[in-house]
Amino acid sequence: MAKVGVAAQAFGVPDMILSNQHIAQIAIENAKKFNAPIYTQADVSIPPEMDVTYTPEVPGEPPPTFRIARGAVRWAVERGLDVLLVAAAKPHMWRCLRDFDYAVHEVGALINVYPCEE
């Protein structure tokens, strides 16, 4: 059986904007559905009782998509995950999937990356 993780990418700042609230909700629903941990950034608010890891950030400088993808893939490898579900805004999803694909190949990981169903 696949070990699943969820990676959530913000679509703007701050965490209170509607797009980031929707991304957080999608990530939470998928994490609950698959009993999966979440990897995300500060602008996606996940309840603290969930298994969530936030990517390192410098205040006022949101990390680029590829840096989040790299961090999420390393995190997935450390946790022994073999599937990453990406929660992102529709216009941002193609770039997220591209960057996750690059990050997976960069480390030679055996991780399948799929978009979360909305």
Side-chain angles (χ1 to χ4, degrees):
M1 187 158 167
K3 290 185 71 178
V4 177
V6 177
Q9 296 237 345
F11 193 61
V13 293
D15 63 339
M16 293 174 280
I17 63 173
L18 194 55
S19 60
N20 290 343
Q21 290 177 3
H22 286 304
I23 291 164
Q25 192 58 42
I26 291 166
I28 291 165
E29 288 171 7
N30 278 272
K32 288 179 179 178
K33 179 178 180 179
F34 295 102
N35 193 30
I38 299 171
Y39 186 92
T40 192
Q41 62 192 106
D43 293 310
V44 178
S45 293
I46 305 296
E49 64 271 9
M50 297 195 75
D51 184 356
V52 60
T53 300
Y54 287 93
T55 194
E57 293 188 43
V58 175
E61 296 179 26
T65 303
F66 189 47
R67 186 181 323 149
I68 297 169
R70 278 179 160 160
V73 168
R74 288 188 200 109
W75 167 85
V77 168
E78 289 170 3
R79 288 178 167 249
L81 305 176
D82 48 19
V83 172
L84 275 176
L85 301 176
V86 178
K90 193 175 231 174
H92 189 209
M93 185 62 79
W94 72 269
R95 187 172 56 181
C96 292
L97 295 175
R98 178 201 65 193
D99 287 359
F100 271 85
D101 187 51
Y102 287 157
V104 166
H105 284 84
E106 186 176 73
V107 298
L110 296 174
I111 298 172
N112 293 304
V113 178
Y114 305 102
C116 285
E117 292 184 15
E118 294 185 36

